[in-house]
Amino acid sequence: MVGTGDGLEMLRKIGEGFAEQHPEIKLSIPPSIGSGGGIAAVSSGSERLGRVARPLKDSEVEYGLVYLPIAKIPSAVFTHPSTGVETISSDDLVRLYSGDISNWSELGGADLRVKLVRREDADSTLQVLRNSMPGWKELQMSPRSKTAVTTQEAISTARDVKGAIAFGPYSRLLEDGLSVLKVDGAHPTDESYPSAVTLALIYKDGTMDDQMKTFIDYSQSDQAHELMEDFGGVPLKN
């Protein structure tokens, strides 16, 4: 099951639960190749099942792809613990990423230079932030920001670099070694938090087989939904 890095840890945990119930079926959930990579692989027939964190474009639907949303994952903003900041206003978040704020002390944090980590323009989490987080639609990213190609790279940079701030899909694992910011007083798991990405499975129409159906049915089960919630996801029923 190839594609996005969003929700990867959650999907792998679901995969473990599936393997326990169905040891006769071999399921592989490899590292991220992005939503676009997953779509290309499934469209070409090189892979049967993909994972995406954005809706399909009309041109992609024409490939005969079926889109099956399974969970909503909040889009979190997180920092290296050295920043000393745990909550931020949406206005100050825009000022950070535009480069207007260059030191965490300006937000009551440590006297430490801000190290911005962004994603590529087509990244699903960035698109969700632009469409939902106040002030992000017209936000011009600071040229001093570093671009992370994958979700895993954004997370590892924020964990390793003092003063770093990054964004990506929320997982409870982010709370280990990172400061997940509250935005306008709301944590990503709060109902009032404004930004979330939809995680979906994709496959090509007419290619469904018994193994794929077994996994898709499991992804809709109570056990899978409990695992999603353990990772901070919101299950979607089909």
Side-chain angles (χ1 to χ4, degrees):
M1 183 168 62
V2 299
T4 181
D6 292 13
L8 182 58
E9 296 91 350
M10 179 184 77
L11 284 172
R12 284 178 169 167
K13 183 59 69 173
I14 290 171
E16 290 174 9
F18 176 75
E20 289 177 1
Q21 290 194 13
H22 301 279
E24 75 283 3
I25 299 176
K26 184 178 180 181
L27 173 68
S28 173
I29 305 177
S32 171
I33 57 173
S35 294
I39 290 168
V42 175
S43 298
S44 68
S46 63
E47 300 290 351
R48 292 184 295 166
L49 193 61
R51 57 188 202 261
V52 297
R54 63 167 175 81
L56 297 177
K57 301 174 183 176
D58 291 342
S59 59
E60 294 163 344
V61 173
E62 292 175 0
Y63 294 141
L65 297 179
V66 178
Y67 175 86
L68 182 70
I70 61 170
K72 280 191 174 294
I73 304 173
S75 302
V77 181
F78 42 87
T79 73
H80 189 280
S82 61
T83 65
V85 172
E86 297 181 353
T87 185
I88 193 171
S89 71
S90 52
D91 287 343
D92 283 340
L93 186 58
V94 169
R95 293 178 63 214
L96 270 172
Y97 266 95
S98 65
D100 288 346
I101 295 175
S102 59
N103 193 294
W104 288 104
S105 63
E106 298 175 59
L107 296 174
D111 183 10
L112 193 62
R113 186 162 67 89
V114 174
K115 306 284 184 65
L116 297 171
V117 182
R118 61 162 296 171
R119 297 297 304 277
E120 296 170 303
D121 289 339
D123 172 67
S124 54
T125 302
L126 178 54
Q127 292 300 313
V128 171
L129 286 166
R130 288 205 181 280
N131 289 326
S132 58
M133 191 66 78
W136 277 62
K137 186 171 289 294
E138 306 300 331
L139 171 62
Q140 296 295 316
M141 294 278 183
S142 168
R144 297 194 303 272
S145 57
K146 172 190 174 180
T147 300
V149 178
T150 65
T151 298
Q152 287 70 38
E153 183 184 352
I155 293 171
S156 63
T157 302
R159 280 205 170 107
D160 295 342
V161 179
K162 288 185 177 181
I165 179 172
F167 53 82
Y170 177 75
S171 155
R172 295 200 193 280
L173 295 178
L174 290 177
E175 307 282 359
D176 181 16
L178 290 168
S179 294
V180 177
L181 299 183
K182 291 183 178 180
V183 179
D184 292 335
H187 186 272
T189 56
D190 293 341
E191 190 173 338
S192 58
Y193 193 80
S195 194
V197 66
T198 298
L199 181 66
L201 305 180
I202 58 167
Y203 59 92
K204 207 164 185 178
D205 193 22
T207 63
M208 178 69 70
D209 59 24
D210 289 343
Q211 290 186 344
M212 290 167 61
K213 185 177 186 305
T214 300
F215 177 74
I216 288 172
D217 287 346
Y218 178 79
S219 74
Q220 299 291 299
S221 69
D222 289 343
Q223 182 180 10
H225 286 177
E226 288 177 7
L227 292 171
M228 292 175 190
E229 290 171 348
D230 286 345
F231 277 80
V234 180
L236 299 175
K237 295 183 179 180
N238 292 281

